Amino acid sequence: AQQAVERSFGKTAAMQLTLAQAYRAAGQITRSRQEARKGLALLPAQRINEPIPRLRKLLEIEVNAER
């Protein structure tokens, strides 16, 4: 996952999600949250009255994950 993020130069939110999930699976919650926040920063602003994209939901789950 780390290599995929490096290959995308950290500019792909989906790759940041993959890395965040890998960190969480390894028990590294703090790093998982950091990567998820980076992924959220790459997404366009959420518009009012529009459905929340799945990628945004998954990144928010990682940001708020406790374990």
Side-chain angles (χ1 to χ4, degrees):
Q2 179 68 43
Q3 290 177 353
V5 169
E6 289 171 3
R7 279 189 233 130
S8 71
F9 301 102
K11 297 192 184 244
T12 306
M15 293 298 165
Q16 295 298 138
L17 172 62
T18 301
L19 184 57
Q21 290 171 330
Y23 279 136
R24 184 165 53 102
Q28 298 181 33
I29 303 303
T30 302
R31 291 195 72 184
S32 173
R33 288 182 181 143
Q34 291 171 345
E35 296 303 325
R37 284 187 190 104
K38 289 178 188 177
L40 283 171
L42 294 170
L43 297 176
Q46 179 65 36
R47 294 181 180 204
I48 297 173
N49 296 327
E50 285 193 9
I52 299 172
R54 184 172 190 272
L55 181 55
R56 179 176 295 279
K57 287 180 186 179
L58 293 172
L59 285 164
E60 288 174 352
I61 288 169
E62 292 302 321
V63 168
N64 296 314
E66 294 189 21
R67 282 192 172 177

